[in-house]
Amino acid sequence: MHPRNRHQGRYDLQSLIKSSPDLGKHVFVNEFGTETLDFADAEAVKSLNRALLKSSYGIEFWDIPEKFLCPPIPGRADYIHTVSDLVGGKADSKIRVLDIGTGANVIYPLLGHAEYKWNFVGSDVDAEAVKNAELIISKNKLESFIEIRKSSGKIFEGIIAPADQFDLTICNPPFHASAEEANAGTERKWKNLGKKGKGLNFGGKSNELWTQGGEKVFLTNMIKESALFKNQVKWFTTLVSKDENLKALENWLQNVAAKDVRILRMEQGQKKSRVLAWTYQKA
């Protein structure tokens, strides 16, 4: 993990329970004598997220509607810390960030503001996600720092206004190409947790998990659109789940004449991922 990530090592569940007693009903001792919780239980994972957000980031209210994506906090924090190095790696309230597909959980703006004092605009195509994100922002009195905009389906067009200037854009894109592929991926998650498959109820609505053409097409469209806003954004960034997509994406970045392209590697335990970052502006 990034050295500034707060979530190194195992969770201190007893400490989390002290700040969020509701988590206690989900914690048990497994056959190895270790305190844990059932990560296949959506309510248990939501309770863990609430406890982490409250104890580490001062977020007093957080909840998501049923079937929306429930994000793992440590991995989301790692993305924030990784891209922070592009803009100095220090708290700076002048930094402005656009989160593409912020979701009902609005997790990146919450973490980015808590860690670095950044200001955010989050966008999403789903009206229910927008409504819930705005509720979380309001309940935590963050309206002055986080704004949510409804997307019509484009990535940057219709979201970045003519007067906008952003230091960063971030995105955790849908990476499956179809509902069937997303379902198969979810079944693998259930199997890894030792559970029988329960379809997409593992977490994530269709627009969060898959898009026509998959990750490669989505990110190609993102790169094409980014060229239209090259003077309004310093660094464009996105997670890339499939290493084999990088070559084609780098070729497209050559086609649109990006001046600097970087692949930022991340590791969380056995999980490896990467951030693709590019800019049209001089360093």
Side-chain angles (χ1 to χ4, degrees), residues 20-76:
S20 301
D22 179 70
L23 178 63
K25 66 185 180 184
H26 299 289
V27 174
F28 62 93
V29 177
N30 64 19
E31 65 269 30
F32 305 106
T34 302
E35 283 191 326
T36 187
L37 61 151
D38 184 357
F39 287 92
D41 181 342
E43 286 305 315
V45 175
K46 283 206 293 185
S47 185
L48 174 63
N49 276 7
R50 291 190 196 103
L52 289 169
L53 289 169
K54 182 177 181 180
S55 64
S56 296
Y57 304 102
I59 303 299
E60 294 292 335
F61 172 85
W62 184 86
D63 198 12
I64 54 174
E66 186 179 356
K67 294 188 179 181
F68 275 88
L69 190 65
C70 191
I73 303 299
R76 298 307 194 258

Side-chain angles (χ1 to χ4, degrees), residues 76-263:
R76 298 307 194 258
D78 230 39
Y79 184 9
I80 290 293
H81 289 301
T82 297
V83 297
S84 76
D85 291 333
L86 295 170
V87 292
K90 296 179 180 179
D92 186 347
S93 61
K94 295 179 181 178
I95 297 292
R96 195 160 182 249
V97 182
L98 172 60
D99 178 21
I100 298 297
T102 199
N105 58 71
V106 69
I107 201 68
Y108 288 123
L110 293 176
L111 298 178
H113 179 71
E115 289 284 24
Y116 294 105
K117 307 302 180 187
W118 294 344
N119 293 284
F120 278 84
V121 171
S123 71
D124 207 278
V125 298
D126 189 292
E128 188 178 2
V130 168
K131 182 178 179 181
N132 196 75
E134 290 178 334
L135 175 64
I136 292 172
I137 292 163
S138 174
K139 288 278 191 179
N140 290 288
K141 297 180 172 57
L142 293 171
E143 299 96 329
S144 297
F145 311 105
I146 305 171
E147 173 192 353
I148 304 298
R149 298 178 184 176
K150 175 73 167 58
S151 170
S152 62
K154 294 286 188 178
I155 298 172
F156 300 118
E157 294 183 63
I159 296 298
I160 299 179
D164 279 332
Q165 292 288 329
F166 291 100
D167 298 277
L168 283 170
T169 72
I170 59 177
C171 182
N172 184 7
F175 52 88
H176 294 298
S178 66
E180 292 75 20
E181 184 181 317
N183 190 68
T186 302
E187 295 291 339
R188 285 193 296 273
K189 290 181 181 180
W190 282 111
K191 186 176 180 180
N192 290 339
L193 289 168
K195 306 288 183 178
K196 291 183 178 180
K198 297 184 180 181
L200 293 177
N201 288 334
F202 187 87
K205 294 186 72 176
S206 60
N207 60 285
E208 294 179 301
L209 296 173
W210 70 275
T211 187
Q212 193 70 38
E215 174 185 79
K216 186 176 178 180
V217 170
F218 183 91
L219 294 182
T220 298
N221 290 335
M222 174 182 282
I223 289 168
K224 291 177 182 177
E225 278 194 44
S226 73
L228 302 175
F229 300 94
K230 59 186 177 183
N231 295 320
Q232 291 180 262
V233 176
K234 175 62 176 176
W235 282 101
F236 296 90
T237 80
T238 180
L239 288 168
V240 181
S241 70
K242 298 178 181 179
D243 213 36
E244 60 267 27
N245 286 338
L246 285 173
K247 183 61 177 176
L249 297 174
E250 287 178 291
N251 288 339
W252 269 107
L253 287 166
Q254 284 186 334
N255 292 340
V256 296
K259 291 186 181 298
D260 190 353
V261 177
R262 303 183 191 182
I263 299 169

